[in-house]
Amino acid sequence: MENANQPNNAQKLLSAVRKIPKGTVATYGQIAKRAGLSRNARQVGTVLKGLPEDSDVPWHRVVNALGKISDRGDGVFAGLQRQMLEAEGIEFTDNGKLDLSVHQWRER
DNA sequence: ACTCTGACGGAAT
DNA sequence: GATTCCGCCAGAG
């Protein structure tokens, strides 16, 4: 059996995402930093892509550093995420972006 | 083991 | 603001 004492990077990242308060968003880099993998922002995306639907991770609260929703592969995902965030009180601009200075998760 | 790609970030241009 | 380049490293073939 493996070492359950040392979680993989994926689990660390997921753990950080779960800490995002409702009605708030966080950037990939922010999550990575919180997980102790400051320069692993890419892995956040890799992990989120493989997330099961029964996951309790609020992946929709994760956006890129530009305050925009990333969509690589599926455009359905982006549209869905936007609706999820709007349902939590997050406003989007006409540019399809959101105001990070207002909605970004603070509390480092 | 190797190569290429990628839900990214940041600095430079 | 848009584009280019680099870093970082997990997945997939």
Side-chain angles (χ1 to χ4, degrees), chain A residues 25-31 41-42 44 61-70 81 97-101 104 108:
Chain A
V25 298
T27 65
Y28 291 90
Q30 205 176 349
I31 296 301
R42 264 179 151 151
V44 180
R61 292 182 194 147
V62 185
V63 294
N64 64 20
L66 304 176
K68 247 183 166 175
I69 298 176
S70 304
Q81 178 167 7
K97 297 201 290 195
L98 51 81
D99 196 339
L100 281 177
S101 63
Q104 183 170 45
R108 308 209 203 176

mmCIF file of all heavy atoms in Angstrom, chain A residues 25-31 41-42 44 61-70 81 97-101 104 108, chain B residues 7-11, chain C residues 1:
data_model
loop_
_atom_site.group_PDB
_atom_site.id
_atom_site.type_symbol
_atom_site.label_atom_id
_atom_site.label_comp_id
_atom_site.label_asym_id
_atom_site.label_seq_id
_atom_site.Cartn_x
_atom_site.Cartn_y
_atom_site.Cartn_z
ATOM 1 N N VAL A 25 -13.646 34.077 -6.405
ATOM 2 C CA VAL A 25 -12.886 33.323 -7.398
ATOM 3 C C VAL A 25 -11.398 33.368 -7.069
ATOM 4 O O VAL A 25 -10.945 34.247 -6.352
ATOM 5 C CB VAL A 25 -13.099 33.890 -8.814
ATOM 6 C CG1 VAL A 25 -14.555 33.770 -9.208
ATOM 7 C CG2 VAL A 25 -12.626 35.326 -8.880
ATOM 8 N N ALA A 26 -10.671 32.433 -7.593
ATOM 9 C CA ALA A 26 -9.220 32.400 -7.378
ATOM 10 C C ALA A 26 -8.536 32.080 -8.698
ATOM 11 O O ALA A 26 -9.128 31.444 -9.562
ATOM 12 C CB ALA A 26 -8.887 31.349 -6.327
ATOM 13 N N THR A 27 -7.324 32.534 -8.844
ATOM 14 C CA THR A 27 -6.594 32.263 -10.083
ATOM 15 C C THR A 27 -5.839 30.945 -9.949
ATOM 16 O O THR A 27 -5.601 30.461 -8.846
ATOM 17 C CB THR A 27 -5.605 33.388 -10.377
ATOM 18 O OG1 THR A 27 -4.606 33.404 -9.359
ATOM 19 C CG2 THR A 27 -6.304 34.724 -10.415
ATOM 20 N N TYR A 28 -5.450 30.396 -11.054
ATOM 21 C CA TYR A 28 -4.708 29.144 -11.057
ATOM 22 C C TYR A 28 -3.417 29.303 -10.261
ATOM 23 O O TYR A 28 -3.051 28.442 -9.465
ATOM 24 C CB TYR A 28 -4.389 28.720 -12.492
ATOM 25 C CG TYR A 28 -5.618 28.309 -13.252
ATOM 26 C CD1 TYR A 28 -6.356 29.241 -13.972
ATOM 27 C CD2 TYR A 28 -6.046 26.994 -13.229
ATOM 28 C CE1 TYR A 28 -7.489 28.867 -14.670
ATOM 29 C CE2 TYR A 28 -7.178 26.605 -13.920
ATOM 30 C CZ TYR A 28 -7.891 27.554 -14.631
ATOM 31 O OH TYR A 28 -9.015 27.177 -15.316
ATOM 32 N N GLY A 29 -2.742 30.399 -10.500
ATOM 33 C CA GLY A 29 -1.480 30.637 -9.808
ATOM 34 C C GLY A 29 -1.687 30.733 -8.309
ATOM 35 O O GLY A 29 -0.863 30.270 -7.528
ATOM 36 N N GLN A 30 -2.791 31.339 -7.935
ATOM 37 C CA GLN A 30 -3.093 31.499 -6.519
ATOM 38 C C GLN A 30 -3.288 30.135 -5.872
ATOM 39 O O GLN A 30 -2.780 29.865 -4.792
ATOM 40 C CB GLN A 30 -4.372 32.317 -6.402
ATOM 41 C CG GLN A 30 -4.458 33.038 -5.081
ATOM 42 C CD GLN A 30 -5.687 33.926 -5.011
ATOM 43 O OE1 GLN A 30 -6.335 34.148 -6.017
ATOM 44 N NE2 GLN A 30 -5.979 34.413 -3.848
ATOM 45 N N ILE A 31 -4.030 29.300 -6.526
ATOM 46 C CA ILE A 31 -4.278 27.951 -6.015
ATOM 47 C C ILE A 31 -2.970 27.187 -5.882
ATOM 48 O O ILE A 31 -2.688 26.573 -4.867
ATOM 49 C CB ILE A 31 -5.218 27.187 -6.970
ATOM 50 C CG1 ILE A 31 -6.583 27.866 -6.998
ATOM 51 C CG2 ILE A 31 -5.360 25.741 -6.531
ATOM 52 C CD1 ILE A 31 -7.266 27.943 -5.667
ATOM 53 N N ALA A 41 1.063 26.284 -11.790
ATOM 54 C CA ALA A 41 -0.272 26.738 -12.184
ATOM 55 C C ALA A 41 -0.863 25.848 -13.275
ATOM 56 O O ALA A 41 -2.050 25.576 -13.295
ATOM 57 C CB ALA A 41 -0.194 28.181 -12.665
ATOM 58 N N ARG A 42 -0.022 25.362 -14.145
ATOM 59 C CA ARG A 42 -0.496 24.509 -15.243
ATOM 60 C C ARG A 42 -1.093 23.231 -14.732
ATOM 61 O O ARG A 42 -2.059 22.708 -15.244
ATOM 62 C CB ARG A 42 0.674 24.145 -16.140
ATOM 63 C CG ARG A 42 0.733 25.076 -17.278
ATOM 64 C CD ARG A 42 1.910 24.691 -18.100
ATOM 65 N NE ARG A 42 1.613 25.064 -19.439
ATOM 66 C CZ ARG A 42 2.531 25.392 -20.316
ATOM 67 N NH1 ARG A 42 3.781 25.374 -19.963
ATOM 68 N NH2 ARG A 42 2.207 25.704 -21.479
ATOM 69 N N VAL A 44 -2.724 22.775 -12.168
ATOM 70 C CA VAL A 44 -4.080 23.017 -11.671
ATOM 71 C C VAL A 44 -5.073 22.717 -12.783
ATOM 72 O O VAL A 44 -6.066 22.026 -12.583
ATOM 73 C CB VAL A 44 -4.237 24.479 -11.213
ATOM 74 C CG1 VAL A 44 -5.648 24.725 -10.700
ATOM 75 C CG2 VAL A 44 -3.226 24.801 -10.117
ATOM 76 N N ARG A 61 -14.905 28.078 -9.591
ATOM 77 C CA ARG A 61 -14.419 29.317 -8.974
ATOM 78 C C ARG A 61 -12.968 29.571 -9.338
ATOM 79 O O ARG A 61 -12.316 30.447 -8.783
ATOM 80 C CB ARG A 61 -14.557 29.225 -7.454
ATOM 81 C CG ARG A 61 -16.008 29.227 -7.030
ATOM 82 C CD ARG A 61 -16.126 29.182 -5.505
ATOM 83 N NE ARG A 61 -17.511 28.853 -5.162
ATOM 84 C CZ ARG A 61 -17.857 28.147 -4.097
ATOM 85 N NH1 ARG A 61 -16.954 27.716 -3.259
ATOM 86 N NH2 ARG A 61 -19.102 27.893 -3.866
ATOM 87 N N VAL A 62 -12.445 28.810 -10.244
ATOM 88 C CA VAL A 62 -11.055 28.982 -10.657
ATOM 89 C C VAL A 62 -10.976 29.587 -12.055
ATOM 90 O O VAL A 62 -11.503 29.020 -13.008
ATOM 91 C CB VAL A 62 -10.326 27.624 -10.645
ATOM 92 C CG1 VAL A 62 -8.857 27.825 -10.951
ATOM 93 C CG2 VAL A 62 -10.496 26.959 -9.277
ATOM 94 N N VAL A 63 -10.348 30.757 -12.145
ATOM 95 C CA VAL A 63 -10.172 31.410 -13.441
ATOM 96 C C VAL A 63 -8.699 31.746 -13.629
ATOM 97 O O VAL A 63 -7.905 31.625 -12.695
ATOM 98 C CB VAL A 63 -11.000 32.702 -13.508
ATOM 99 C CG1 VAL A 63 -12.488 32.376 -13.463
ATOM 100 C CG2 VAL A 63 -10.619 33.651 -12.394
ATOM 101 N N ASN A 64 -8.330 32.187 -14.803
ATOM 102 C CA ASN A 64 -6.923 32.507 -15.032
ATOM 103 C C ASN A 64 -6.585 33.891 -14.494
ATOM 104 O O ASN A 64 -7.458 34.615 -14.029
ATOM 105 C CB ASN A 64 -6.578 32.371 -16.514
ATOM 106 C CG ASN A 64 -7.342 33.376 -17.351
ATOM 107 O OD1 ASN A 64 -7.827 34.376 -16.857
ATOM 108 N ND2 ASN A 64 -7.443 33.089 -18.615
ATOM 109 N N ALA A 65 -5.321 34.266 -14.568
ATOM 110 C CA ALA A 65 -4.828 35.513 -13.967
ATOM 111 C C ALA A 65 -5.449 36.741 -14.617
ATOM 112 O O ALA A 65 -5.388 37.825 -14.065
ATOM 113 C CB ALA A 65 -3.316 35.560 -14.089
ATOM 114 N N LEU A 66 -6.057 36.585 -15.757
ATOM 115 C CA LEU A 66 -6.665 37.711 -16.455
ATOM 116 C C LEU A 66 -8.096 37.931 -15.996
ATOM 117 O O LEU A 66 -8.762 38.837 -16.458
ATOM 118 C CB LEU A 66 -6.639 37.448 -17.965
ATOM 119 C CG LEU A 66 -5.246 37.180 -18.524
ATOM 120 C CD1 LEU A 66 -5.342 36.844 -19.995
ATOM 121 C CD2 LEU A 66 -4.354 38.376 -18.303
ATOM 122 N N GLY A 67 -8.565 37.085 -15.116
ATOM 123 C CA GLY A 67 -9.946 37.210 -14.652
ATOM 124 C C GLY A 67 -10.907 36.663 -15.687
ATOM 125 O O GLY A 67 -12.076 36.975 -15.703
ATOM 126 N N LYS A 68 -10.401 35.816 -16.538
ATOM 127 C CA LYS A 68 -11.218 35.243 -17.597
ATOM 128 C C LYS A 68 -11.330 33.743 -17.443
ATOM 129 O O LYS A 68 -10.485 33.106 -16.812
ATOM 130 C CB LYS A 68 -10.586 35.549 -18.947
ATOM 131 C CG LYS A 68 -11.461 36.478 -19.742
ATOM 132 C CD LYS A 68 -10.819 36.699 -21.096
ATOM 133 C CE LYS A 68 -11.814 37.335 -22.022
ATOM 134 N NZ LYS A 68 -11.191 37.663 -23.281
ATOM 135 N N ILE A 69 -12.336 33.196 -18.062
ATOM 136 C CA ILE A 69 -12.521 31.752 -18.015
ATOM 137 C C ILE A 69 -11.699 31.107 -19.116
ATOM 138 O O ILE A 69 -11.772 31.519 -20.263
ATOM 139 C CB ILE A 69 -14.005 31.393 -18.196
ATOM 140 C CG1 ILE A 69 -14.818 31.998 -17.042
ATOM 141 C CG2 ILE A 69 -14.186 29.888 -18.231
ATOM 142 C CD1 ILE A 69 -16.304 31.783 -17.195
ATOM 143 N N SER A 70 -10.945 30.117 -18.753
ATOM 144 C CA SER A 70 -10.108 29.435 -19.734
ATOM 145 C C SER A 70 -10.888 28.320 -20.399
ATOM 146 O O SER A 70 -11.574 27.572 -19.743
ATOM 147 C CB SER A 70 -8.881 28.861 -19.036
ATOM 148 O OG SER A 70 -8.197 29.887 -18.355
ATOM 149 N N GLN A 81 -19.398 27.348 -16.646
ATOM 150 C CA GLN A 81 -18.710 27.988 -15.520
ATOM 151 C C GLN A 81 -19.250 29.388 -15.282
ATOM 152 O O GLN A 81 -19.480 29.785 -14.155
ATOM 153 C CB GLN A 81 -17.216 28.031 -15.812
ATOM 154 C CG GLN A 81 -16.461 28.741 -14.690
ATOM 155 C CD GLN A 81 -14.985 28.528 -14.787
ATOM 156 O OE1 GLN A 81 -14.499 27.968 -15.749
ATOM 157 N NE2 GLN A 81 -14.258 28.966 -13.787
ATOM 158 N N LYS A 97 -15.182 38.949 -19.034
ATOM 159 C CA LYS A 97 -14.271 38.870 -17.892
ATOM 160 C C LYS A 97 -14.998 39.236 -16.599
ATOM 161 O O LYS A 97 -16.137 39.684 -16.619
ATOM 162 C CB LYS A 97 -13.098 39.830 -18.091
ATOM 163 C CG LYS A 97 -12.285 39.447 -19.313
ATOM 164 C CD LYS A 97 -10.894 40.007 -19.246
ATOM 165 C CE LYS A 97 -10.836 41.502 -19.419
ATOM 166 N NZ LYS A 97 -9.471 41.964 -19.708
ATOM 167 N N LEU A 98 -14.320 39.067 -15.494
ATOM 168 C CA LEU A 98 -14.886 39.471 -14.219
ATOM 169 C C LEU A 98 -13.877 40.338 -13.483
ATOM 170 O O LEU A 98 -12.692 40.342 -13.814
ATOM 171 C CB LEU A 98 -15.265 38.238 -13.386
ATOM 172 C CG LEU A 98 -14.186 37.172 -13.207
ATOM 173 C CD1 LEU A 98 -13.209 37.526 -12.130
ATOM 174 C CD2 LEU A 98 -14.860 35.859 -12.853
ATOM 175 N N ASP A 99 -14.354 41.090 -12.513
ATOM 176 C CA ASP A 99 -13.481 42.028 -11.811
ATOM 177 C C ASP A 99 -12.718 41.332 -10.691
ATOM 178 O O ASP A 99 -13.227 41.106 -9.609
ATOM 179 C CB ASP A 99 -14.340 43.158 -11.240
ATOM 180 C CG ASP A 99 -13.470 44.343 -10.845
ATOM 181 O OD1 ASP A 99 -12.263 44.138 -10.648
ATOM 182 O OD2 ASP A 99 -13.991 45.456 -10.740
ATOM 183 N N LEU A 100 -11.476 41.018 -10.960
ATOM 184 C CA LEU A 100 -10.662 40.313 -9.961
ATOM 185 C C LEU A 100 -10.463 41.172 -8.720
ATOM 186 O O LEU A 100 -10.419 40.659 -7.607
ATOM 187 C CB LEU A 100 -9.304 39.957 -10.563
ATOM 188 C CG LEU A 100 -9.327 38.724 -11.466
ATOM 189 C CD1 LEU A 100 -7.951 38.510 -12.062
ATOM 190 C CD2 LEU A 100 -9.746 37.502 -10.685
ATOM 191 N N SER A 101 -10.363 42.488 -8.907
ATOM 192 C CA SER A 101 -10.124 43.381 -7.771
ATOM 193 C C SER A 101 -11.299 43.357 -6.796
ATOM 194 O O SER A 101 -11.211 43.857 -5.685
ATOM 195 C CB SER A 101 -9.883 44.802 -8.261
ATOM 196 O OG SER A 101 -11.028 45.288 -8.920
ATOM 197 N N GLN A 104 -11.821 38.427 -6.495
ATOM 198 C CA GLN A 104 -10.731 37.490 -6.224
ATOM 199 C C GLN A 104 -10.612 37.174 -4.746
ATOM 200 O O GLN A 104 -10.779 38.031 -3.898
ATOM 201 C CB GLN A 104 -9.408 38.062 -6.723
ATOM 202 C CG GLN A 104 -8.276 37.079 -6.513
ATOM 203 C CD GLN A 104 -7.017 37.536 -7.228
ATOM 204 O OE1 GLN A 104 -6.638 38.695 -7.158
ATOM 205 N NE2 GLN A 104 -6.384 36.650 -7.939
ATOM 206 N N ARG A 108 -4.552 35.706 2.167
ATOM 207 C CA ARG A 108 -3.364 34.857 2.114
ATOM 208 C C ARG A 108 -2.796 34.735 3.501
ATOM 209 O O ARG A 108 -1.857 35.118 3.865
ATOM 210 C CB ARG A 108 -2.375 35.448 1.154
ATOM 211 C CG ARG A 108 -3.067 35.705 -0.161
ATOM 212 C CD ARG A 108 -2.156 35.620 -1.317
ATOM 213 N NE ARG A 108 -2.676 36.360 -2.430
ATOM 214 C CZ ARG A 108 -1.992 36.480 -3.526
ATOM 215 N NH1 ARG A 108 -0.854 35.901 -3.679
ATOM 216 N NH2 ARG A 108 -2.476 37.156 -4.515
ATOM 217 P P DA B 7 -5.935 22.852 -22.479
ATOM 218 O OP1 DA B 7 -6.741 21.649 -22.711
ATOM 219 O OP2 DA B 7 -5.766 23.783 -23.573
ATOM 220 O "O5'" DA B 7 -6.545 23.549 -21.184
ATOM 221 C "C5'" DA B 7 -7.448 24.644 -21.332
ATOM 222 C "C4'" DA B 7 -7.673 25.252 -19.969
ATOM 223 O "O4'" DA B 7 -8.697 24.522 -19.266
ATOM 224 C "C3'" DA B 7 -6.474 25.326 -19.014
ATOM 225 O "O3'" DA B 7 -6.292 26.649 -18.619
ATOM 226 C "C2'" DA B 7 -6.913 24.473 -17.862
ATOM 227 C "C1'" DA B 7 -8.435 24.687 -17.891
ATOM 228 N N9 DA B 7 -9.232 23.743 -17.108
ATOM 229 C C8 DA B 7 -8.811 22.914 -16.136
ATOM 230 N N7 DA B 7 -9.734 22.184 -15.601
ATOM 231 C C5 DA B 7 -10.878 22.546 -16.286
ATOM 232 C C6 DA B 7 -12.211 22.143 -16.221
ATOM 233 N N6 DA B 7 -12.663 21.242 -15.369
ATOM 234 N N1 DA B 7 -13.084 22.698 -17.037
ATOM 235 C C2 DA B 7 -12.661 23.607 -17.878
ATOM 236 N N3 DA B 7 -11.436 24.073 -18.061
ATOM 237 C C4 DA B 7 -10.579 23.500 -17.224
ATOM 238 P P DC B 8 -5.166 27.571 -19.276
ATOM 239 O OP1 DC B 8 -5.711 28.916 -19.259
ATOM 240 O OP2 DC B 8 -4.646 27.020 -20.513
ATOM 241 O "O5'" DC B 8 -4.026 27.497 -18.186
ATOM 242 C "C5'" DC B 8 -4.290 27.346 -16.795
ATOM 243 C "C4'" DC B 8 -3.283 28.117 -15.964
ATOM 244 O "O4'" DC B 8 -1.964 27.733 -16.368
ATOM 245 C "C3'" DC B 8 -3.360 29.639 -16.139
ATOM 246 O "O3'" DC B 8 -3.203 30.264 -14.867
ATOM 247 C "C2'" DC B 8 -2.227 29.950 -17.062
ATOM 248 C "C1'" DC B 8 -1.207 28.891 -16.692
ATOM 249 N N1 DC B 8 -0.320 28.591 -17.818
ATOM 250 C C2 DC B 8 1.053 28.693 -17.628
ATOM 251 O O2 DC B 8 1.497 28.987 -16.518
ATOM 252 N N3 DC B 8 1.876 28.456 -18.673
ATOM 253 C C4 DC B 8 1.374 28.127 -19.863
ATOM 254 N N4 DC B 8 2.229 27.911 -20.852
ATOM 255 C C5 DC B 8 -0.036 28.010 -20.078
ATOM 256 C C6 DC B 8 -0.830 28.252 -19.053
ATOM 257 P P DG B 9 -3.018 31.880 -14.741
ATOM 258 O OP1 DG B 9 -3.553 32.267 -13.421
ATOM 259 O OP2 DG B 9 -3.516 32.540 -15.952
ATOM 260 O "O5'" DG B 9 -1.442 32.016 -14.670
ATOM 261 C "C5'" DG B 9 -0.728 31.363 -13.619
ATOM 262 C "C4'" DG B 9 0.585 32.072 -13.337
ATOM 263 O "O4'" DG B 9 1.533 31.729 -14.351
ATOM 264 C "C3'" DG B 9 0.435 33.597 -13.363
ATOM 265 O "O3'" DG B 9 1.241 34.151 -12.340
ATOM 266 C "C2'" DG B 9 0.876 33.973 -14.757
ATOM 267 C "C1'" DG B 9 1.878 32.881 -15.106
ATOM 268 N N9 DG B 9 1.866 32.481 -16.519
ATOM 269 C C8 DG B 9 0.777 32.319 -17.341
ATOM 270 N N7 DG B 9 1.088 31.920 -18.548
ATOM 271 C C5 DG B 9 2.466 31.809 -18.522
ATOM 272 C C6 DG B 9 3.384 31.409 -19.537
ATOM 273 O O6 DG B 9 3.150 31.062 -20.681
ATOM 274 N N1 DG B 9 4.688 31.445 -19.091
ATOM 275 C C2 DG B 9 5.084 31.812 -17.826
ATOM 276 N N2 DG B 9 6.391 31.797 -17.583
ATOM 277 N N3 DG B 9 4.248 32.173 -16.873
ATOM 278 C C4 DG B 9 2.953 32.149 -17.284
ATOM 279 P P DG B 10 1.244 35.784 -12.096
ATOM 280 O OP1 DG B 10 1.220 35.983 -10.634
ATOM 281 O OP2 DG B 10 0.211 36.416 -12.952
ATOM 282 O "O5'" DG B 10 2.655 36.268 -12.631
ATOM 283 C "C5'" DG B 10 3.837 35.527 -12.341
ATOM 284 C "C4'" DG B 10 4.933 35.978 -13.300
ATOM 285 O "O4'" DG B 10 4.744 35.365 -14.581
ATOM 286 C "C3'" DG B 10 4.895 37.491 -13.535
ATOM 287 O "O3'" DG B 10 6.216 38.011 -13.428
ATOM 288 C "C2'" DG B 10 4.377 37.618 -14.948
ATOM 289 C "C1'" DG B 10 4.882 36.345 -15.586
ATOM 290 N N9 DG B 10 4.124 35.945 -16.762
ATOM 291 C C8 DG B 10 2.762 35.989 -16.935
ATOM 292 N N7 DG B 10 2.370 35.567 -18.112
ATOM 293 C C5 DG B 10 3.558 35.230 -18.756
ATOM 294 C C6 DG B 10 3.783 34.721 -20.047
ATOM 295 O O6 DG B 10 2.949 34.450 -20.924
ATOM 296 N N1 DG B 10 5.132 34.510 -20.304
ATOM 297 C C2 DG B 10 6.136 34.770 -19.416
ATOM 298 N N2 DG B 10 7.388 34.508 -19.846
ATOM 299 N N3 DG B 10 5.946 35.244 -18.203
ATOM 300 C C4 DG B 10 4.637 35.454 -17.935
ATOM 301 P P DA B 11 6.306 39.671 -13.292
ATOM 302 O OP1 DA B 11 6.555 39.991 -11.873
ATOM 303 O OP2 DA B 11 5.190 40.331 -14.015
ATOM 304 O "O5'" DA B 11 7.638 39.931 -14.116
ATOM 305 C "C5'" DA B 11 8.628 38.915 -14.242
ATOM 306 C "C4'" DA B 11 9.246 38.983 -15.636
ATOM 307 O "O4'" DA B 11 8.340 38.408 -16.595
ATOM 308 C "C3'" DA B 11 9.497 40.429 -16.093
ATOM 309 O "O3'" DA B 11 10.806 40.516 -16.643
ATOM 310 C "C2'" DA B 11 8.426 40.653 -17.136
ATOM 311 C "C1'" DA B 11 8.223 39.271 -17.709
ATOM 312 N N9 DA B 11 6.902 39.064 -18.300
ATOM 313 C C8 DA B 11 5.684 39.342 -17.744
ATOM 314 N N7 DA B 11 4.659 39.031 -18.511
ATOM 315 C C5 DA B 11 5.254 38.513 -19.650
ATOM 316 C C6 DA B 11 4.724 37.989 -20.848
ATOM 317 N N6 DA B 11 3.421 37.898 -21.100
ATOM 318 N N1 DA B 11 5.585 37.560 -21.780
ATOM 319 C C2 DA B 11 6.894 37.637 -21.536
ATOM 320 N N3 DA B 11 7.514 38.094 -20.452
ATOM 321 C C4 DA B 11 6.624 38.524 -19.537
ATOM 322 P P DG C 1 -5.885 46.456 -20.269
ATOM 323 O OP1 DG C 1 -5.216 47.709 -19.974
ATOM 324 O OP2 DG C 1 -7.227 46.172 -19.942
ATOM 325 O "O5'" DG C 1 -5.637 46.062 -21.806
ATOM 326 C "C5'" DG C 1 -6.546 46.459 -22.854
ATOM 327 C "C4'" DG C 1 -6.026 45.945 -24.198
ATOM 328 O "O4'" DG C 1 -4.722 46.547 -24.430
ATOM 329 C "C3'" DG C 1 -5.829 44.430 -24.246
ATOM 330 O "O3'" DG C 1 -6.278 43.951 -25.504
ATOM 331 C "C2'" DG C 1 -4.335 44.238 -24.070
ATOM 332 C "C1'" DG C 1 -3.769 45.523 -24.672
ATOM 333 N N9 DG C 1 -2.502 45.901 -24.031
ATOM 334 C C8 DG C 1 -2.243 46.090 -22.705
ATOM 335 N N7 DG C 1 -1.001 46.407 -22.457
ATOM 336 C C5 DG C 1 -0.401 46.420 -23.721
ATOM 337 C C6 DG C 1 0.942 46.685 -24.102
ATOM 338 O O6 DG C 1 1.896 46.976 -23.376
ATOM 339 N N1 DG C 1 1.113 46.577 -25.475
ATOM 340 C C2 DG C 1 0.135 46.263 -26.368
ATOM 341 N N2 DG C 1 0.490 46.215 -27.641
ATOM 342 N N3 DG C 1 -1.117 46.019 -26.025
ATOM 343 C C4 DG C 1 -1.322 46.103 -24.690
#
